[in-house]
């Protein structure tokens, strides 16, 4: 009875996931070609573009891995990788090669088909998102009208893969991790959706290019600082990074959904994680830092792409910085932070923006409202706990039992000698 | 359909049994906890030990007294010198040997340095348990300085065999005092760094405040000792309550917590780092030249009898019960390992908490499996 119910659930999940991927591919194909007829040429173009994009993303991931290890090393008074290639630049390549050549083991208790399908379910959505992310005004596979919506829709599909990976591994740690992932990612989708909605309202468009064009003079981070902070926090949770690395938590569930994976399939998860991290960086740069634009006129394409990448890497660097600084939250604290703080704040952001747009208030009212909202959680929650702890620590000094030193007797035999 | 063992009113759910360890990154070695989980909540925890059992106590019976010291090095393998001291004091009490004053100063200085090294390791690994990856780098960096110091004194980094029955193996090198002072300056800065990074971090506070609370009465009845007991507000410290060696000539503070939660246990250890630094400095100030080994010749064969001696180890009250039958080998050696006794408090602390807290709580007791299993 229970077994059959479980199978039905799994089957449902698989069908949903496959439908999601199929939908993504159809949308992609339609975006590339004419919606009416999908010809062979269109498909070949699609394939070529996908290969180029895949290669680009792999290179980005390799640089990210190197950057993370170097940056963490410097922050922890180490040097990071130095041996393979100049400045250890080829270390990620060596690691990737090692992973690919390792034996791919599936536990005996796993359901093999789902087990090996799960990494693909995680990777494909994370990869498909990049079809609509522009690197510069014309450097984009396809500038969709509903690009922001497409980004959100695709990033939700990845949850299915994580849940499936946890479920199909046949390991309790993986199940715990999978369920944690589902709960965490679904909860933190909501603030992201709200913030993206806010940006769409301000730019009056859901196309990435239009959003960037709207930030020509003032980037949205200056207009809506709270929105950026909520987006950044929810983004951290969305890619499972410290302090929200609850589902892969190494010291608790030993890698969570990924615990039973090895070799190339683990490498795919790894790739997906970094692609998603970079996607958060890139989308953050597009939505809030003005993407490839700067306030001093138009840039040539190459410079624009460089500017965009620089801004993306800036956000990613901040993500790594947080990783070097913070411990991990607990699952209930993660949930209450999401539902009690980030979601209400994100709703407040939407409402204030709507009010400002509806009554046509001047633009400077938005940052004022935003900062006022930001002050509420910071003052109320975080600082108070810290102040209480500082008072506790002072009480330690008052309580400490002092042991006085006794005077030392003179040594008789030495004075004689 | 009604399943066996359930009634209609009950939900058709079963608690999950999760086997944590012996190969789990957060169990600090080969410790195993069998957790019964209701979702993310720990309903019941059953600790399993013995994966590192080497029969140390039995082995002691086949070695001469001087050789037993090497076995004690391997009990609490991050506080080796403290173990050596515990056994040597037991043997000395049995043989009625007086230890020269300089040897006692060297012993105390080295033991406090080792306590410092052990606590630095704790600060790092505890942060790792909670998901912060930087403090362990700071902790290991500072611990490395102390290990180098040990290497220059004893010739070894971990298995020193330096504290001998009747004194220490040899005098410290000529540059020991200035070198140690320099190292302590650096270590103090390192501990400051960990303190600034971790202690009042909001996430760290959220994870440790009010987690794994154990009140003083329960802690005492569980046999908790050391920093874990002092975190619950009991100011019990063997160095204070039953001073040994030259501790009575040294002034120090015993930091005491109040809430008995993970944060208090952590903070007690952090403050003890500073106290250890001060203690070593006092030892260096008071140290005078002199012999480092007792002048008595016959220290191989104690008379018949038995003795119990205890010391303050980094993890708590380390006791050694030594029985002699008049031969050159001990008849029976029984160790009271603080880590083992502290593990008794695991169940009262852990039940009803989250899985993530289970890791935090186990980390806050700071066990060493070499000592638990012996």
């Amino acid at each position: 009875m229970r077994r059959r119910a479980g199978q039905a659930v799994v089957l449902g999940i698989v069908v949903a996931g496959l439908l999601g991927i199929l939908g993504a591919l159809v949308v992609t194909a339609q975006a590339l070609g004419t919606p009416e007829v999908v010809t062979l040429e269109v498909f070949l173009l699609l394939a070529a573009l996908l290969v180029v994009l895949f290669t680009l993303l792999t290179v980005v991931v390799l640089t990210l891995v190197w950057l993370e290890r170097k940056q963490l090393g410097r922050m922890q008074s180490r040097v990071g990788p130095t041996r393979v290639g100049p400045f250890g630049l080829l270390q990620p390549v060596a690691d990737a090669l090692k992973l690919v050549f390792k034996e791919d083991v599936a536990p005996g208790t796993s359901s093999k088909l789902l087990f090996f399908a799960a990494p693909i379910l995680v990777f494909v959505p994370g990869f498909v998102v990049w079809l609509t992310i522009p690197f510069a005004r014309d450097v984009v596979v396809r500038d969709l009208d509903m690009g922001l919506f497409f980004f959100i829709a695709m990033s939700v599909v990845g949850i299915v893969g994580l849940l499936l990976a946890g479920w199909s591994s046949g390991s309790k740690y993986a199940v715990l991790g999978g369920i944690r992932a589902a709960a965490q990612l679904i909860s933190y989708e909501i603030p992201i959706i709200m913030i993206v909605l806010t940006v769409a309202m301000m730019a009056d468009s859901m196309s990435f290019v239009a959003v960037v064009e709207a930030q020509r003079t003032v980037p949205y981070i200056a207009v809506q600082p709270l929105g950026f902070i909520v987006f950044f926090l929810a983004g951290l949770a969305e890619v499972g990074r410290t302090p929200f690395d609850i589902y892969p938590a190494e010291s608790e569930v030993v890698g969570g959904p990924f615990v039973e994976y090895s070799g190339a399939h683990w490498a795919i998860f790894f790739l997906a994680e970094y692609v998603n991290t970079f996607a958060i960086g890139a989308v953050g740069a597009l939505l809030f830092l003005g993407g490839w634009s700067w306030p001093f006129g138009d840039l040539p394409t190459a410079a624009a792409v460089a500017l965009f990448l620089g801004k993306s890497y800036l956000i990613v660097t901040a993500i790594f910085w947080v990783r070097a600084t913070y411990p991990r939250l607990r699952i209930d604290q993660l949930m209450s932070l999401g539902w009690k703080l980030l979601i209400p704040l994100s709703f407040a952001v939407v409402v204030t923006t709507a009010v400002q747009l509806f009554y046509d208030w001047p633009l400077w009212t938005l940052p004022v409202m935003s900062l006022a909202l930001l002050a509420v959680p910071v003052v109320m929650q975080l600082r108070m706990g810290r102040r209480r702890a500082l008072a506790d620590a002072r009480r330690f000094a008052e309580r400490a039992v002092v042991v006085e030193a006794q005077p030392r007797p003179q040594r008789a035999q030495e004075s004689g000698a | 359909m009604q399943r066996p063992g359930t009634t209609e009113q009950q939900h058709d759910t079963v608690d999950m049994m999760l086997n944590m360890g012996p190969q789990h990154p957060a169990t600090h070695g080969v410790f195993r906890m069998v957790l019964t989980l209701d979702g993310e909540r720990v309903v019941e925890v059953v600790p399993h030990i013995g994966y590192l059992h080497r029969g140390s106590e039995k082995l002691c019976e086949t070695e001469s007294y001087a050789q037993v010291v090497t076995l004690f090095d391997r009990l609490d393998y991050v506080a080796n010198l403290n173990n050596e001291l515990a056994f040597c004091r037991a043997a000395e009490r049995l043989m009625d040997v007086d230890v020269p004053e300089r040897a006692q100063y060297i012993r105390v200085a080295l033991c406090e340095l080792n306590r410092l090294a052990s606590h630095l390791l704790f600060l790092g690994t505890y942060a790792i348990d909670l998901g912060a990856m930087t403090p362990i780098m700071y902790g290991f960096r500072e611990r490395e300085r102390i290990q180098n110091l040990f290497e220059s004194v004893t010739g070894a980094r971990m298995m020193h065999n330096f504290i001998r029955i009747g004194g220490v193996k040899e005098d410290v090198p000529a540059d020991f005092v200035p070198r140690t002072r320099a190292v302590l300056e650096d270590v103090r800065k390192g501990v400051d760094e960990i303190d600034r990074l971790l202690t009042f971090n909001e996430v760290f506070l959220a994870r440790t405040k009010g987690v794994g609370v154990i009140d003083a009465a329960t802690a005492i009845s569980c046999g908790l000792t050391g920093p874990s007991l002092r975190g619950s507000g009991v100011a019990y410290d063997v160095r204070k309550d039953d001073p040994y060696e030259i501790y009575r000539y040294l002034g120090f503070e015993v930091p005491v917590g109040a809430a008995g939660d993970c944060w208090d246990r952590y903070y007690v250890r952090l403050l003890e780092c500073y106290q250890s630094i001060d203690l070593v400095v006092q030892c260096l100030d008071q140290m005078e030249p002199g012999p480092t080994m007792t002048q008595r010749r016959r220290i191989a064969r104690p008379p018949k009898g038995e003795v119990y001696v205890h010391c303050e180890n980094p993890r708590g009250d380390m006791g050694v019960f030594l029985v002699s039958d008049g031969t050159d080998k001990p008849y029976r050696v029984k160790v009271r390992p603080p880590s083992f006794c502290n593990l008794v408090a695991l169940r009262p602390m852990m039940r009803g908490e989250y899985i993530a807290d289970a890791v935090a709580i186990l980390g806050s007791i700071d066990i060493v499996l070499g000592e638990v299993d012996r």
Side-chain angles (χ1 to χ4, degrees), chain A residues 1-2 68 72-78 171-177 179-180 242-243 245-246 249-255 320-321 323-333 378 381-397 399-411 413-414, chain B residues 1 3 12-14 16-21 24-26 37 39-40 101-102 105 127-135 137-138 141 197-198 200-207 209 211 235 239-240 248-258 263-264 267-268 271 282 286-291 353-357 359:
Chain A
M1 180 72 184
R2 173 179 299 168
E68 170 161 36
L72 284 181
R74 290 297 175 190
M75 286 181 165
Q76 298 169 343
S77 66
R78 303 182 283 124
S171 153
K172 288 173 181 173
Y173 287 113
V175 169
L176 275 174
I179 291 168
R180 279 179 174 197
T242 317
D245 52 342
I246 315 280
E250 175 75 22
S251 60
E252 293 157 30
V253 289
V254 215
F320 296 157
W321 180 18
R323 183 174 173 204
T325 313
Y326 278 95
R328 181 188 308 121
L329 276 173
R330 206 167 56 204
I331 182 83
D332 62 315
Q333 292 163 348
V378 170
Q381 202 133 24
L382 303 175
R383 287 290 138 181
M384 257 166 72
R386 196 184 156 108
R387 207 169 299 153
R388 233 176 321 194
L390 281 167
D392 271 8
R394 270 195 296 278
R395 249 170 268 137
F396 262 73
R399 258 197 315 269
V401 180
V402 182
V403 181
E404 299 286 346
Q406 293 175 15
R408 205 151 60 106
Q410 287 297 310
R411 282 194 288 176
Q413 73 271 33
E414 235 188 29
Chain B
M1 193 182 74
R3 291 166 60 82
D12 190 15
T13 59
V14 209
M16 183 165 86
M17 196 207 80
L18 184 72
N19 186 30
M20 203 180 242
H24 186 281
L37 300 175
E40 286 267 346
E101 207 183 47
R102 182 172 175 82
Y105 273 108
I128 284 268
D129 284 344
L130 297 174
M133 59 182 304
T134 301
M137 304 294 169
Y138 296 163
R141 184 186 62 198
L197 185 61
L198 201 58
F200 299 107
N201 183 311
E202 280 83 0
V203 179
F204 183 75
L205 289 174
R207 282 300 306 279
K209 278 271 181 197
V211 170
R239 294 173 292 177
K240 167 175 80 71
R248 64 179 67 82
Y249 304 136
L250 308 175
F252 58 98
E253 284 179 13
V254 180
V256 178
W263 191 83
D264 278 14
Y267 199 56
V268 163
L271 293 178
Q282 289 179 51
Q286 296 182 12
M287 217 185 263
E288 282 169 15
E353 303 277 12
Y354 287 88
I355 303 175
D357 292 336
V359 174

Side-chain angles (χ1 to χ4, degrees), chain A residues 142-361:
Chain A
R142 186 72 181 193
D143 177 33
L144 295 181
D145 286 345
M146 36 49 158
L148 295 178
F149 180 74
F150 184 74
F151 161 71
I152 288 168
M154 281 304 108
S155 59
V156 178
V157 176
I159 302 172
V160 177
L162 287 174
L163 191 59
L164 202 59
W167 178 282
S168 65
S169 293
S171 153
K172 288 173 181 173
Y173 287 113
V175 169
L176 275 174
I179 291 168
R180 279 179 174 197
Q184 171 178 347
L185 299 194
I186 290 172
S187 306
Y188 278 77
E189 270 311 321
I190 302 169
I192 286 203
I193 293 171
M194 286 299 144
I195 297 305
V196 167
L197 177 66
T198 314
V199 171
M201 278 156 59
M202 291 196 292
D204 204 16
S205 166
M206 291 197 90
S207 144
F208 277 110
V209 173
V211 167
V212 172
E213 292 299 318
Q215 300 178 62
R216 221 162 232 284
T217 46
V218 186
Y220 283 160
I221 187 173
V223 183
Q224 195 53 271
L226 177 62
F228 178 72
I229 289 169
V230 172
F231 178 85
F232 182 73
L233 287 178
L236 280 179
E238 198 63 16
V239 293
R241 289 235 154 226
T242 317
F244 306 117
D245 52 342
I246 315 280
Y247 67 84
E250 175 75 22
S251 60
E252 293 157 30
V253 289
V254 215
F258 320 129
V259 63
E260 299 294 346
Y261 284 90
S262 56
H265 281 88
W266 190 80
I268 295 177
F269 276 124
F270 192 72
L271 203 63
E273 187 191 328
Y274 279 85
V275 166
N276 288 335
T277 308
F278 195 63
I280 290 295
V283 172
L286 289 173
L287 298 190
F288 286 99
L289 302 186
W292 59 84
S293 70
W294 67 341
F296 314 111
D298 281 338
L299 284 167
T301 308
V305 170
L307 186 63
F308 165 71
L309 285 178
K311 285 174 178 174
S312 311
Y313 273 106
L314 195 69
I315 294 182
V316 172
T317 312
I319 291 178
F320 296 157
W321 180 18
V322 170
R323 183 174 173 204
T325 313
Y326 278 95
R328 181 188 308 121
L329 276 173
R330 206 167 56 204
I331 182 83
D332 62 315
Q333 292 163 348
L334 170 97
M335 284 299 170
S336 57
L337 181 74
W339 287 95
K340 293 183 190 162
L341 193 68
L342 290 190
I343 291 179
L345 274 183
S346 62
F347 275 110
V349 168
V350 173
V351 170
T352 50
T353 312
V355 169
Q356 186 263 341
L357 288 175
F358 185 78
Y359 291 106
D360 217 5
W361 289 352

Side-chain angles (χ1 to χ4, degrees), chain B residues 26-54:
Chain B
T27 54
H28 295 268
V30 284
F31 183 62
R32 177 177 163 218
M33 293 188 284
V34 177
L35 303 173
T36 309
L37 300 175
D38 177 13
E40 286 267 346
R41 288 266 183 193
V42 176
V43 178
E44 183 60 90
V45 53
V46 182
H48 289 253
I49 60 168
Y51 291 94
L52 201 60
H53 179 63
R54 296 155 295 179

Side-chain angles (χ1 to χ4, degrees), chain B residues 161-220:
Chain B
N161 192 16
F162 185 72
I163 298 178
R164 303 283 172 87
I165 298 165
V168 291
K169 179 174 161 246
E170 59 194 7
D171 207 342
V172 289
D175 65 342
F176 176 73
V177 174
R179 215 179 139 184
T180 309
R181 285 186 201 280
V183 165
L184 288 177
E185 279 311 303
D186 289 341
V187 172
R188 189 188 290 275
K189 279 180 209 147
V191 179
D192 281 343
E193 251 179 318
I194 297 178
D195 186 19
R196 279 201 303 273
L197 185 61
L198 201 58
T199 308
F200 299 107
N201 183 311
E202 280 83 0
V203 179
F204 183 75
L205 289 174
R207 282 300 306 279
T208 52
K209 278 271 181 197
V211 170
V213 177
I214 187 162
D215 62 280
T218 320
I220 291 171

Side-chain angles (χ1 to χ4, degrees), chain B residues 23 216 240 261 364:
Chain B
Q23 295 175 7
K240 167 175 80 71
D261 55 12
S364 76

